[in-house]
Amino acid sequence: MPSLFALHRIKLLSLLVISNLGLILHLSLGDVKSGAAWAWLDIAGEGGSAALVLIWICLLLKSRPAGRVTDLLFLGLACLFFSLWMDVTDEFVQMADSVRWDAWLESGPMPVGFVLLTLGIYHWHREQLAISAQMRNRERLYREHRQFDKLTPLGGAAYLKTQIELTIKQAVIDRQPLSLIMLDMDRFNMINRDYGQKEGDRVLQVVTQLVLLNLREHDLLCRLAGDRFVVVLPNTLESQAVIVATELSLAIAHLAYRTTGQGERLTLSATTVAAMARQESAERLLERLNMTMARAKQTPLARSA
């Protein structure tokens, strides 16, 4: 829980403060009911529902990075929780008949919460469709689980080489260009050293999802080794691949990533290079990309092979 609180402390603190303000407002302007007047069935139903919504909020914030979808889902659930919390409070505090604002606090946030939840789920659905469309490419032609990386999970080096060979043959048949992008995270060993391998693994998982969201449905992303990835771009000229490579670098550089431990902001960056396939083997093509990457790491201006 400490890591969850550190990552989303503002959201959780805001919900805590607003909920307690509602409770204090009821206690200051109403009278506490006697135990005989408590409706235990209502208390169990409304209190249990509020507790479940709070658990949903915790699971949401623990499993998703910050962003618009997470904010919409959180706000929707927060409205539902506040409405249910006010319902529970009303079971213990008796307000005067002339008071009407307590009914608004109980009922008003509920429809707002459902609207926000609907928007969040809609955008979450679109996000998952984009990721799923990209992930389907890892199972093209045959399914060999041993060739898939367990961490990300993407096709590994063996799967990548097989797919490059097949894609080159298809590009020759179709007389279409084929380009590749190699992406290598900068100073990734420092993340593992300073924050631990678990944090480094999480960075790779987040970067994988980000890259997938910025590719076309028929593009293929694989993890070559460590923090190095390769994107296969069918029907793509080298000049177009260079543009895509630059966009991927910018997307990673603008990623608002925070560590799970202290919620510290990490500035991520990646070096990308692009090359168009020739009449060559997958080994030779990857060798060219690796050589270009080595030069690019030394000279940041070099970005194409």
Side-chain angles (χ1 to χ4, degrees):
M1 190 68 181
S3 61
L4 182 155
F5 184 80
L7 188 61
H8 296 283
R9 55 185 178 274
I10 295 179
K11 293 184 178 71
L12 294 173
L13 277 174
S14 299
L15 180 59
L16 178 64
V17 169
I18 293 173
S19 299
N20 279 288
L21 285 177
L23 175 61
I24 293 171
L25 188 61
H26 275 77
L27 291 174
S28 61
L29 299 178
D31 299 319
V32 178
K33 296 179 181 179
S34 63
W38 292 355
W40 288 105
L41 185 59
D42 290 342
I43 292 172
E46 296 165 358
S49 298
L52 286 175
V53 172
L54 188 59
I55 292 174
W56 295 350
I57 291 174
C58 293
L59 292 175
L60 168 72
L61 297 182
K62 188 174 183 179
S63 61
R64 282 193 57 85
R68 181 180 63 171
V69 175
T70 302
D71 290 341
L72 285 171
L73 293 173
F74 169 77
L75 289 173
L77 290 174
C79 288
L80 296 185
F81 172 78
F82 182 79
S83 183
L84 290 168
W85 177 244
M86 290 298 95
D87 280 341
V88 174
T89 302
D90 190 55
E91 299 298 329
F92 296 97
V93 180
Q94 180 66 50
M95 304 299 295
D97 293 338
S98 59
V99 175
R100 292 290 182 266
W101 53 262
D102 63 325
W104 284 98
L105 288 182
E106 294 173 18
S107 303
M110 187 72 72
V112 176
F114 279 118
V115 170
L116 292 173
L117 267 179
T118 302
L119 289 173
I121 292 173
Y122 170 74
H123 289 292
W124 192 3
H125 169 70
R126 290 176 59 87
E127 178 185 274
Q128 289 303 122
L129 283 180
I131 293 176
S132 297
Q134 297 299 334
M135 295 300 288
R136 280 198 301 269
N137 288 309
R138 67 182 189 146
E139 298 184 357
R140 292 187 301 184
L141 301 180
Y142 67 91
R143 192 181 183 93
E144 178 54 74
H145 294 290
R146 288 173 298 177
Q147 293 188 350
F148 292 104
D149 177 48
K150 295 180 180 179
L151 175 65
T152 38
L154 299 170
Y159 181 78
L160 172 64
K161 292 174 184 177
T162 301
Q163 292 304 313
I164 290 177
E165 296 285 359
L166 293 171
T167 311
I168 288 177
K169 291 179 182 178
Q170 190 62 46
V172 172
I173 295 174
D174 297 338
R175 297 184 179 181
Q176 293 293 332
L178 170 68
S179 295
L180 271 68
I181 294 173
M182 181 172 286
L183 183 151
D184 188 276
M185 298 297 296
D186 298 329
R187 301 176 297 279
F188 184 73
N189 61 325
M190 296 177 61
I191 297 177
N192 283 330
R193 183 193 66 191
D194 297 340
Y195 301 96
Q197 184 176 348
K198 187 175 180 180
E199 191 68 49
D201 290 346
R202 184 172 178 268
V203 168
L204 293 179
Q205 291 170 340
V206 172
V207 168
T208 294
Q209 291 198 24
L210 178 65
V211 173
L212 287 172
L213 289 171
N214 283 274
L215 296 178
R216 301 168 300 183
E217 182 174 350
H218 59 275
D219 297 333
L220 176 66
L221 174 66
C222 293
R223 185 184 180 195
L224 182 61
D227 59 329
R228 182 162 292 189
F229 300 84
V230 172
V231 184
V232 181
L233 303 170
N235 304 331
T236 304
L237 294 169
E238 183 174 341
S239 58
Q240 297 170 318
V242 170
I243 295 174
V244 175
T246 302
E247 291 173 346
L248 293 177
S249 295
L250 291 174
I252 293 173
H254 288 89
L255 177 63
Y257 182 88
R258 295 187 181 276
T259 61
T260 55
Q262 301 298 324
E264 181 180 350
R265 170 71 184 273
L266 292 187
T267 300
L268 303 178
S269 64
T271 301
T272 55
V273 295
M276 190 164 72
R278 304 167 184 166
Q279 294 288 340
E280 57 191 332
S281 65
E283 290 281 356
R284 175 55 187 158
L285 179 54
L286 290 174
E287 182 181 344
R288 276 203 297 129
L289 274 171
N290 278 314
M291 292 175 61
T292 307
M293 177 61 72
R295 293 196 301 269
K297 286 287 188 178
Q298 297 175 354
T299 308
L301 294 178
R303 284 295 184 272
S304 63

